[in-house]
Amino acid sequence: MALTGPSATAPGQENPPDGGAAPVAGRVPLPAVLAILAVSPVLRLAALRYAVPPGTASRTRCDACGAPIGLTRPWPALGPAGRCGGCRSRVGPPPGTVELAVLAAAVVLALVGPPFGALAALAWWLGWTVPAVVVDLAVHRLPDRLTLPAAAGTWLLLGAATLGDAETGPWLRAVTAGAGLALLFATTTLLLGRRGFGLGDAKLALSVGALLGWYGWPVLAFGLLLAFGLSALVSLGLLAARRARWTTHLPFGPFLLLGTVGALLAAT
């Protein structure tokens, strides 16, 4: 079954004449790509600040020497090397990881190519979800300060994409999918405890469900299938390598991110 999203042809837009080259959907200009890459220090700061155990204050200083870290502080800690400007010890995410993730996000934005409103929603979602996933990989938590703005902005931007359009079906479907998926994840938390999804996963599902639901129920189903399939493959690989046990808890945020991106790329 083909995964299809909203038509890429705007109402009233004619197809290119025979023999003419069709425009490349979703092509992002070079200045836009450079602007996306320029936010890497901000995303690295977010990941560095919230990658702390639950109940611990957000990180604002180097763990080794206590040097302050922030956008107005020495920059080496927020650069690709991830080194403290004071003692040169590594701080925050591993070197280059955030920058590679942002570059990958720029490529995704160029390839997905939805209408402008949905493109803005996807860019917003990636901007909050990339550091959230880095935090999830580091300390197995998805901070509310990253997942909730991701959800609120995604819903609002998708809603704005329907302004002036008599067809509101995609947005209503997105809201229903986001709320329904979050409720499903939260229910497993209440019923199964640690064996179910975390509440952080449920809050991330608010935006994941909305983005996938915007393109249709088949895209939502495919995105979840990808997320669960990747999670199962990684789990089996870790078990085979004896690096995990059946009781080991894997963070699910990265798989939600990969499943969402994979489904959106397949839908376009």
Side-chain angles (χ1 to χ4, degrees):
M1 177 170 54
L3 299 178
T4 58
S7 174
T9 303
Q13 181 179 351
E14 296 181 357
N15 293 326
D18 293 340
V24 179
R27 175 172 292 170
V28 180
L30 179 59
V33 174
L34 294 177
I36 292 170
L37 297 178
V39 306
S40 296
V42 179
L43 302 191
R44 178 171 279 277
L45 176 63
L48 179 153
R49 181 155 291 176
Y50 297 119
V52 294
T56 305
S58 300
R59 181 184 289 109
T60 58
R61 296 178 178 274
C62 172
D63 295 336
C65 70
I69 299 173
L71 294 177
T72 60
R73 305 295 181 180
W75 276 75
L78 302 182
R83 296 285 177 180
C84 172
C87 64
R88 302 301 300 171
S89 62
R90 191 172 77 80
V91 59
T97 53
V98 173
E99 292 72 24
L100 287 175
V102 173
L103 180 60
V107 173
V108 169
L109 290 173
L111 293 178
V112 168
F116 176 76
L119 179 64
L122 178 58
W124 174 273
W125 180 76
L126 287 169
W128 292 92
T129 303
V130 165
V133 165
V134 173
V135 172
D136 200 19
L137 286 169
V139 294
H140 291 204
R141 63 185 289 257
L142 289 164
D144 291 350
R145 292 190 178 184
L146 297 177
T147 56
L148 294 183
T154 299
W155 285 34
L156 288 174
L157 288 169
L158 289 177
T162 63
L163 292 178
D165 190 349
E167 179 58 49
T168 60
W171 187 75
L172 294 176
R173 186 174 58 240
V175 170
T176 302
L181 187 61
L183 180 61
L184 174 64
F185 279 23
T187 299
T188 68
T189 304
L190 296 176
L191 295 179
L192 302 176
R194 289 184 56 83
R195 292 178 297 171
F197 295 102
L199 288 178
D201 296 320
K203 294 167 187 175
L204 181 58
L206 285 167
S207 52
V208 167
L211 275 175
L212 295 176
W214 172 269
Y215 287 89
W217 298 113
V219 180
L220 174 64
F222 184 58
L224 293 177
L225 180 63
L226 277 178
F228 285 110
L230 289 171
S231 176
L233 286 175
V234 170
S235 298
L236 291 174
L238 291 175
L239 285 170
R242 296 185 178 181
R243 299 188 61 181
R245 296 181 294 179
W246 289 105
T247 57
T248 299
H249 178 75
L250 294 180
F252 196 62
F255 301 112
L256 279 176
L257 171 63
L258 293 175
T260 300
V261 168
L264 293 180
L265 289 175
T268 55

